[in-house]
């Protein structure tokens, strides 16, 4: 039974080119962002590092005893690195390897038992030939295993490698314990004996993950009267410069989307709602996108906080991520309330523009750009700048567009 502080081992299972690494990395980024120390351990990378590259499909043949011994040794070593790290400082270790035999999963379970580690198998099943082909071409042919090999030969060899794994593959079954099966690009999800807060977050995240590539645009509201005075929080209106920015943003977006195919999400605060007013796109207001609640410091300047609440100022300077304003919030609190927004963003098939506030922008940006927790409260997010992010399989393209703010 998972307890408070339970450590988890997520064991990826599946044939090559099914999207295991993609899922593992996406999950790791999400879990780290939520505040759980999470790392992916990839047996293939360790193999390439220790044994070198250039192994053809014959190496992976279940009938090749030397090959099997070497692969098994690499898997054990990689898993050992995972458990060392997890027992020392981690919360969630993700074991990214094929793990397609019951014997392999059995020793994994034995190594977890008795050390307080809870294994959860995450099996990726996808038999659509077009998706497999796309995965091979996009992710496998660039691998150091195929450096210098002509394209057609590399594809043929990789298919032979998959066929070897297929011969020995046994899907995860109920007696093996907790598992989650992601079938046909997450269209069907089967879960078995999943309980606890973290496993539930994982199911919620993976159920909503879409693989479509589309941009997410982030911007702060236009300059407000509080920004001009250097005051934090409150619910002030836009300044003339802020209204100028809203007009520029509207013009930019209509050039870009022509009034359709994209959505705008704002907070419930006046300055974001006013920024969205000139936009010719459907708008949705979210309370979760409201600025960090500065509690007793709301409406003050940073200088006033330093004079009137010197201890609060010092505590925030020491640990800006965890510091919670009295009767207000911390950055960590903001991240927790943005979980729903992230899941909802992951579900979208078309572009979304989020108009929000400095602390919220930092937290949202950190999810997409995989910013380390301690850095989140310091990410630069200037006013009147549109940040366009396009998450891809293994990275995220970022473009920052400065829009001039002529006074309206
Ligand atoms: O100053 C604008 C603002 O959005 C405030 O309302 C908010 O308290 C602050 O930025 C958040 O930034 P920081 O965490 O750096 O104080």
């Amino acid at each position: 039974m998972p307890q408070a502080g339970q450590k988890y081992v997520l064991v990826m299972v599946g044939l090559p080119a099914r999207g295991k690494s993609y899922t593992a990395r996406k999950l790791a980024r999400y879990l780290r962002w939520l505040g759980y120390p999470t790392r992916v351990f990839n047996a293939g990378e360790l193999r390439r590092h220790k044994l070198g590259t250039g192994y053809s499909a014959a190496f992976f043949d279940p009938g090749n005893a030397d090959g099997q011994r070497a692969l098994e040794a690499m898997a054990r070593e990689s898993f050992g690195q995972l458990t060392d790290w997890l027992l020392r400082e981690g919360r969630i270790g993700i074991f990214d390897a094929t793990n397609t035999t019951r014997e392999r999963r059995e020793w994994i379970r034995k190594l977890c038992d008795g050390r307080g580690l809870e294994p959860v198998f995450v099996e990726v099943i996808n038999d659509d030939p077009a998706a497999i082909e796309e995965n091979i071409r996009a992710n496998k042919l660039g691998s150091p295993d195929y450096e210098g090999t002509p394209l057609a030969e590399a594809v043929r060899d990789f298919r032979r490698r998959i066929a070897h794994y297929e011969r020995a593959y046994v899907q995860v079954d109920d007696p093996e314990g907790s598992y989650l099966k992601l079938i046909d690009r997450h269209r069907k999800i089967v879960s078995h004996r999943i309980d606890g807060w973290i496993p539930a977050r994982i199911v919620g995240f993976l159920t909503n993950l879409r693989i479509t590539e589309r941009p997410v645009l982030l911007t702060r509201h236009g300059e407000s009267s509080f920004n001009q005075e250097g005051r934090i929080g409150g619910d002030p209106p836009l300044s003339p410069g802020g209204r100028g920015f809203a007009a520029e943003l509207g013009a930019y977006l209509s050039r870009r989307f022509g009034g359709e195919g994209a959505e705008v999400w704002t907070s419930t605060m006046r300055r974001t709602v006013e920024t969205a007013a000139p936009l010719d796109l459907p708008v949705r207001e979210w309370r979760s996108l409201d600025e960090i609640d500065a509690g007793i410091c709301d409406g003050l300047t940073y200088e006033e906080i330093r004079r009137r609440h010197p201890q609060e100022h010092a505590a925030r300077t020491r640990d800006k991520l965890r510091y919670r304003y009295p009767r207000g919030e911390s950055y960590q609190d903001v991240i927790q309330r943005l979980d729903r927004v992230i899941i909802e963003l992951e579900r979208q098939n078309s572009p979304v523009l989020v108009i929000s506030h400095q602390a919220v922008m930092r937290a949202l940006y950190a999810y997409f750009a995989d910013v380390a927790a301690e850095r989140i409260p310091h990410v630069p997010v200037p006013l009147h700048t549109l940040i366009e992010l396009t998450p891809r399989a293994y990275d995220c393209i970022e473009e920052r567009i400065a829009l001039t703010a002529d006074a309206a």
Side-chain angles (χ1 to χ4, degrees):
M1 229 2 198
Q3 298 130 19
Q6 175 69 56
K7 295 186 184 233
Y8 292 94
V9 180
L10 304 183
V11 184
M12 304 308 296
V13 176
L15 293 169
R18 264 47 181 191
K20 293 187 299 302
S21 296
Y22 170 83
T23 307
R25 292 195 206 186
K26 274 255 176 185
L27 250 185
R29 181 157 59 87
Y30 171 66
L31 293 166
R32 271 197 295 272
W33 179 75
L34 281 178
Y36 304 114
T38 304
R39 255 181 79 179
V40 178
F41 292 79
N42 180 298
E45 268 166 30
L46 186 72
R47 167 178 63 77
R48 284 186 282 275
H49 175 68
K50 296 207 100 174
L51 306 181
T53 55
Y55 288 89
S56 71
F59 182 71
F60 302 87
D61 185 339
N64 172 352
D66 288 345
Q68 291 301 300
R69 248 195 311 279
L71 287 172
E72 214 46 32
M74 286 305 103
R76 281 188 187 259
E77 186 166 340
S78 178
F79 192 72
Q81 291 177 351
L82 180 151
T83 49
D84 285 352
W85 173 79
L86 197 52
L87 292 167
R88 211 175 44 244
E89 58 190 296
R91 183 73 190 270
I92 301 156
I94 306 184
F95 187 38
D96 185 11
T98 52
N99 303 317
T100 37
T101 66
R102 201 167 276 156
E103 296 70 46
R104 164 79 68 88
R105 298 194 294 267
E106 202 41 48
W107 68 246
I108 290 174
R109 165 165 291 291
K110 283 209 181 100
L111 288 175
C112 290
D113 283 353
R115 296 159 104 180
L117 304 177
E118 178 82 12
V120 178
F121 297 106
V122 181
E123 184 168 22
V124 186
I125 301 171
N126 183 358
D127 294 324
D128 170 17
I132 298 169
E133 182 75 22
E134 191 188 312
N135 193 314
I136 295 178
R137 290 185 183 273
N139 305 317
K140 305 296 174 188
L141 302 182
S143 143
D145 278 347
Y146 290 115
E147 221 171 84
T149 313
L151 194 78
E153 172 49 25
V155 174
R156 263 199 306 278
D157 186 81
F158 201 82
R159 290 196 170 286
R160 281 199 291 271
R161 186 194 294 194
I162 296 177
H164 287 317
Y165 276 100
E166 262 166 349
R167 282 201 282 140
Y169 181 22
V170 178
Q171 292 193 0
V172 180
D173 201 358
D174 290 3
E176 295 185 59
S178 305
Y179 67 73
L180 193 62
K181 287 179 192 256
L182 312 172
I183 303 164
D184 289 342
R185 294 195 154 199
H186 305 209
R187 272 188 210 106
K188 178 170 171 184
I189 304 227
V190 180
S191 81
H192 177 251
R193 289 186 47 196
I194 296 287
D195 63 346
W197 178 251
I198 293 177
R201 305 303 324 122
I202 293 171
V203 177
F205 178 73
L206 292 177
T207 308
N208 288 290
L209 198 59
R210 294 285 177 282
I211 317 232
T212 334
E213 195 175 296
R214 79 281 164 207
V216 174
L217 296 99
L218 306 177
T219 184
R220 289 172 66 188
H221 51 81
E223 182 194 60
S224 70
S225 58
F226 267 31
N227 291 141
Q228 289 182 310
E229 296 163 23
R231 295 191 183 283
I232 68 168
D235 192 16
L238 293 184
S239 71
R243 288 199 296 278
F245 166 71
E248 288 280 340
L249 183 65
Y252 174 84
L253 293 174
S254 52
R255 282 199 301 277
R256 181 84 192 271
F257 299 111
E260 56 189 318
E263 257 187 45
V264 179
W265 297 359
T266 67
S267 73
T268 62
M269 295 175 144
R270 205 169 154 189
R271 52 201 188 274
T272 63
V273 173
E274 286 183 4
T275 305
L279 311 186
D280 191 16
L281 289 166
V283 178
R284 177 168 163 190
E285 284 181 25
W286 287 77
R287 192 159 163 93
S288 321
L289 287 172
D290 285 359
E291 181 54 309
I292 190 169
D293 182 347
I296 61 164
C297 296
D298 188 74
L300 301 181
T301 66
Y302 290 113
E303 178 53 28
E304 285 166 348
I305 298 174
R306 207 174 55 77
R307 270 192 286 110
R308 293 193 210 165
H309 306 285
Q311 281 168 352
E312 298 303 326
H313 170 77
R316 191 164 202 255
T317 308
R318 265 197 312 278
D319 187 355
K320 200 173 170 189
L321 176 69
R322 290 171 200 83
Y323 169 81
R324 178 180 284 145
Y325 284 107
R327 278 184 260 134
E329 289 180 302
S330 68
Y331 267 88
Q332 282 185 329
D333 295 331
V334 171
I335 289 170
Q336 297 311 314
R337 73 165 144 90
L338 286 174
D339 187 11
R340 254 198 76 196
V341 177
I342 287 295
I343 300 243
E344 208 42 35
L345 274 176
E346 285 290 6
R347 281 188 59 222
Q348 302 302 310
N349 284 316
S350 36
V352 176
L353 164 68
V354 182
I355 304 176
S356 184
H357 308 262
Q358 178 151 256
V360 171
M361 282 292 104
R362 285 175 171 148
L364 291 176
Y365 174 87
Y367 167 77
F368 290 104
D370 202 6
V371 176
E374 303 293 333
R375 297 291 322 137
I376 296 175
H378 307 282
V379 170
V381 282
L383 281 172
H384 302 176
T385 306
L386 192 59
I387 304 178
E388 175 160 345
L389 301 166
T390 308
R392 298 190 305 182
Y394 295 112
D395 58 8
C396 179
I397 306 180
E398 172 177 340
E399 197 189 342
R400 290 190 175 218
I401 304 151
L403 295 175
T404 46
D406 297 320

